[in-house]
Amino acid sequence: MNDVINTFVTHRSERSYLDKAIPEDILTNIIESAYHAPTSVHSQQISLIVTRDKATKEKLAALCGGQPWIAQAPVFITFVIDLHKSAEGIKLTGEQQIAHESIESIVSGSLDAGIALGTAMAAARAQGLGIVPIGGLRRDPQAVAELLNLPPLTFPVNGLVLGYVDEPAELKPRLPMATFRHEERYSSENLLENIQAHNQQLTDHWQAIGRDGGEDWSHTVANYYKNIYFPAVRPALLKQGFGIDK
Amino acid sequence: MNDVINTFVTHRSERSYLDKAIPEDILTNIIESAYHAPTSVHSQQISLIVTRDKATKEKLAALCGGQPWIAQAPVFITFVIDLHKSAEGIKLTGEQQIAHESIESIVSGSLDAGIALGTAMAAARAQGLGIVPIGGLRRDPQAVAELLNLPPLTFPVNGLVLGYVDEPAELKPRLPMATFRHEERYSSENLLENIQAHNQQLTDHWQAIGRDGGEDWSHTVANYYKNIYFPAVRPALLKQGFGIDK
C-alpha cells in the first residue's frame, strides 16, 4: 500500500501530547499542503491562524469546552472561512461582493475549510505528528473571532491540534462500508441491521480498550444530535456579516 | 520531501481524460481512505455515491452546468451530507434527532464532506489518477438528489471526477502565503498589495500557458461573487429537511 493511502486508512485522533516543539520546516510543510488545496471558483476563501502562545491556547481550550489537549500540544491551527479577501479583491474591479449574503457561501466555505483541514491532518500525520480536529471551536465562534482579531466576512469554523503523541489512541470502528459507499443510487437496504452491528462493535471496542461506560453509536450520537448542537453558530455567522436567507 | 506532502503541494484540477477504466482496487483504496476520515462527534454523516453509468454521468454533466469531463471520465463520485443514518440510529435509543434543524448541521456536514473530498482527491492522485472537484453539483441540488435517490436529511454537496489524464493541467498560482498563514492573530497587512501581485501573476500565468482572455483573480472572483451564487442551494436544503433558522 502506498504511503498516502496508508496515512489515510490509519487516521486517528490523539488526545495525549508531549511537551515537545514542532520544527518549523514540518509546520511549514503542513501549511504549504493546505495552501495548495483547491477552493470553490478559485476564491481562495480560507485562512489559517497559527497559535503557539500558551495563554491564547489556554483561552481556546476553555472556549472549546475545556479540551486540555489544546493547551498541552505545541501548536493549534484555526481554520477560517475567509470572504474578506475576496470582498477586497472584488472592490478593485469596481464591483461589490454579495455572495456572502447566501447560505451557499457558508456551504462552500465550510467545504473548502474541510478540504484544507483534511489535507493538514494527513500532512501532519505523514510527518510523525498526532492530530485532533476540534469542532468545539464552534461552541462560541464569536469569542474566538474576537480573540484572533478576525475581520468581518470571516468565520472560525474548526480547529486542529498538532503535536507529538504521548499515549497513542486506537483506531475507532466505523459503520459498515455498505452505509458509506453506494453504487449508482443511494441505498438504505439493511441500514438498521448495519447500525445495530456497529453499535455492538463500538461497545466491544470500548470494552477491549478498557473504557468503562463507553456507549454504543446510537447513544453517542443521540447525546449530541437530540439537541440543537452549537446554537451559537447562527448568531456568530450573522454577526460576522454572512447571510442565510438567500 | 515525503510522498504525502508531495501529493498535496502538486495538487491540480484536470479537465481532460482518457477513455480508460479505473481498476477496482484503486477505486476501493480511494473510498477506504475517505471512509476513515473523521466526522463531527463520530456522526459518520457522509455517504458517497459512485456513478459509472454513462447515461447518469451525462445527466450529471448537464445538471452541473455543462461540464463535459464529468461524462468523459470513467467515475464520478457524489459527496453527500447524510444525517439520515444518524436519525435512524438515534431512533433506536427512543430519542429523536433535531440537530438537522440547525445551520450548524450544514456547517459540520459541509466541513466533513470537505475532509472526505480532500482525502479522496489525494488518494486518487497518489495512485496516478487525475481529479477535478465539482462544486457545480450545487447548481441544482434537488435534481441531483432525485436522480441519485437520496432520502430526506441528505444533501449532495460536491462532486469529484476521477480518471486517467489525457492533457495534463498546469499548477495554478495562489495569493501570497501572507494572506493565508497568520501568526497568532489575523493580519490584513499589505492585503491589497498582495492581491494586486496575485492579479498580475495570474494574468502572466494565463499568457504563459496560452489561454487568451484569461482574467486576473479580482475579475475571476467578481464574475461569481458579485451575484448570489448557486441560489438553488437554500430551497434544496429546506426541501431535504434541513433547517437554517436555529
Side-chain angles (χ1 to χ4, degrees):
Chain A
M1 192 183 291
N2 83 44
D3 289 347
V4 177
I5 308 297
N6 188 54
T7 300
F8 287 130
V9 300
T10 59
H11 169 86
R12 69 201 71 190
S13 287
E14 306 286 357
R15 292 183 174 82
S16 168
Y17 293 92
L18 299 170
D19 182 14
K20 180 180 168 187
I22 298 175
E24 190 56 36
D25 61 327
I26 287 184
L27 183 59
T28 294
N29 282 341
I30 294 166
I31 293 174
E32 284 276 349
S33 294
Y35 171 74
H36 284 93
T39 51
S40 180
V41 305
H42 201 45
S43 59
Q44 303 181 68
Q45 58 191 359
I46 301 299
S47 286
L48 309 188
I49 318 284
V50 178
T51 304
R52 278 178 275 217
D53 178 68
K54 185 82 177 164
T56 308
K57 283 190 296 169
E58 281 170 0
K59 282 180 198 162
L60 287 165
L63 287 172
C64 293
Q67 299 199 34
W69 33 87
I70 295 175
Q72 186 188 36
V75 174
F76 184 81
I77 299 181
T78 299
F79 287 71
V80 178
I81 300 172
D82 188 346
L83 276 82
H84 171 65
K85 292 185 279 193
S86 51
E88 294 300 308
I90 290 169
K91 279 184 196 164
L92 295 178
T93 71
E95 302 279 0
Q96 292 290 322
Q97 174 174 282
I98 69 160
H100 59 265
E101 296 174 14
S102 160
I103 194 165
E104 156 64 14
S105 70
I106 297 165
V107 171
S108 77
S110 301
L111 189 96
D112 288 348
I115 298 172
L117 174 61
T119 301
M121 290 193 291
R125 293 191 56 253
Q127 296 181 101
L129 297 176
I131 55 90
V132 53
I134 305 289
L137 201 72
R138 299 193 300 279
R139 279 174 63 102
D140 190 352
Q142 195 57 47
V144 174
E146 285 160 21
L147 179 65
L148 301 180
N149 195 34
L150 299 188
L153 307 185
T154 65
F155 185 79
V157 72
N158 217 83
L160 179 63
V161 169
L162 298 172
Y164 291 96
V165 174
D166 187 4
E167 311 238 343
E170 303 285 335
L171 272 179
K172 206 191 280 184
R174 264 56 175 163
L175 283 163
M177 179 59 86
T179 67
F180 181 74
R181 176 181 181 161
H182 305 257
E183 303 294 336
E184 299 297 336
R185 299 286 183 280
Y186 191 97
S187 166
S188 294
E189 202 182 333
N190 300 324
L191 179 57
L192 284 184
E193 293 83 345
N194 281 324
I195 290 171
Q196 281 163 331
H198 182 55
N199 278 341
Q200 185 62 50
Q201 182 191 36
L202 200 57
T203 313
D204 291 348
H205 168 74
W206 297 134
Q207 200 156 26
I209 68 170
R211 188 190 292 188
D212 289 340
E215 289 186 308
D216 68 16
W217 183 70
S218 286
H219 284 87
T220 303
V221 178
N223 286 343
Y224 297 104
Y225 280 7
K226 72 184 179 188
N227 303 305
I228 296 296
Y229 194 50
F230 295 149
V233 164
R234 185 176 183 277
L237 282 166
L238 298 177
K239 180 106 191 280
Q240 287 296 105
F242 291 91
I244 60 179
D245 291 332
K246 289 177 184 171
Chain B
M1 192 184 290
N2 84 42
D3 289 347
V4 178
I5 307 299
N6 187 54
T7 299
F8 288 130
V9 299
T10 59
H11 169 86
R12 69 199 72 190
S13 287
E14 307 286 356
R15 293 184 175 82
S16 167
Y17 292 92
L18 299 170
D19 181 16
K20 181 181 169 187
I22 298 174
E24 192 54 36
D25 61 326
I26 288 185
L27 183 59
T28 294
N29 282 341
I30 294 167
I31 294 174
E32 283 276 350
S33 294
Y35 171 74
H36 284 93
T39 51
S40 181
V41 304
H42 201 44
S43 59
Q44 305 182 67
Q45 58 191 359
I46 301 298
S47 286
L48 308 188
I49 319 284
V50 177
T51 304
R52 277 178 275 215
D53 177 67
K54 183 81 176 164
T56 308
K57 282 190 295 169
E58 280 169 2
K59 282 180 197 162
L60 287 165
L63 287 172
C64 294
Q67 300 198 32
W69 34 86
I70 295 174
Q72 186 188 37
V75 174
F76 184 81
I77 299 180
T78 299
F79 287 72
V80 177
I81 301 172
D82 189 345
L83 276 81
H84 171 66
K85 291 184 281 193
S86 50
E88 294 301 307
I90 291 168
K91 279 182 197 166
L92 295 178
T93 70
E95 301 278 1
Q96 292 291 320
Q97 174 175 282
I98 68 158
H100 59 266
E101 296 174 14
S102 160
I103 195 165
E104 155 63 13
S105 70
I106 298 165
V107 170
S108 76
S110 302
L111 188 97
D112 289 347
I115 298 173
L117 174 60
T119 301
M121 291 192 290
R125 293 189 58 253
Q127 295 181 104
L129 297 176
I131 55 91
V132 53
I134 306 289
L137 201 74
R138 299 193 302 279
R139 279 175 63 100
D140 190 352
Q142 195 57 47
V144 174
E146 285 160 21
L147 180 64
L148 301 180
N149 195 33
L150 300 187
L153 306 186
T154 65
F155 186 79
V157 71
N158 217 84
L160 178 63
V161 169
L162 298 172
Y164 290 96
V165 175
D166 187 4
E167 310 239 344
E170 303 283 335
L171 273 179
K172 204 191 280 185
R174 264 54 174 164
L175 283 163
M177 180 58 88
T179 68
F180 181 76
R181 176 181 180 160
H182 304 257
E183 302 295 336
E184 299 297 337
R185 299 286 183 280
Y186 191 97
S187 166
S188 294
E189 202 181 334
N190 300 325
L191 179 57
L192 284 183
E193 292 84 344
N194 282 324
I195 290 172
Q196 282 162 331
H198 183 54
N199 279 341
Q200 183 64 49
Q201 183 192 36
L202 201 56
T203 313
D204 291 349
H205 169 73
W206 297 132
Q207 200 157 25
I209 67 168
R211 187 189 292 189
D212 289 340
E215 288 186 305
D216 68 16
W217 183 69
S218 285
H219 284 87
T220 303
V221 179
N223 286 342
Y224 297 103
Y225 280 8
K226 71 184 179 187
N227 304 306
I228 296 297
Y229 195 49
F230 295 149
V233 164
R234 184 176 183 279
L237 282 166
L238 297 178
K239 180 105 188 284
Q240 288 296 106
F242 290 91
I244 60 177
D245 290 332
K246 288 177 185 169

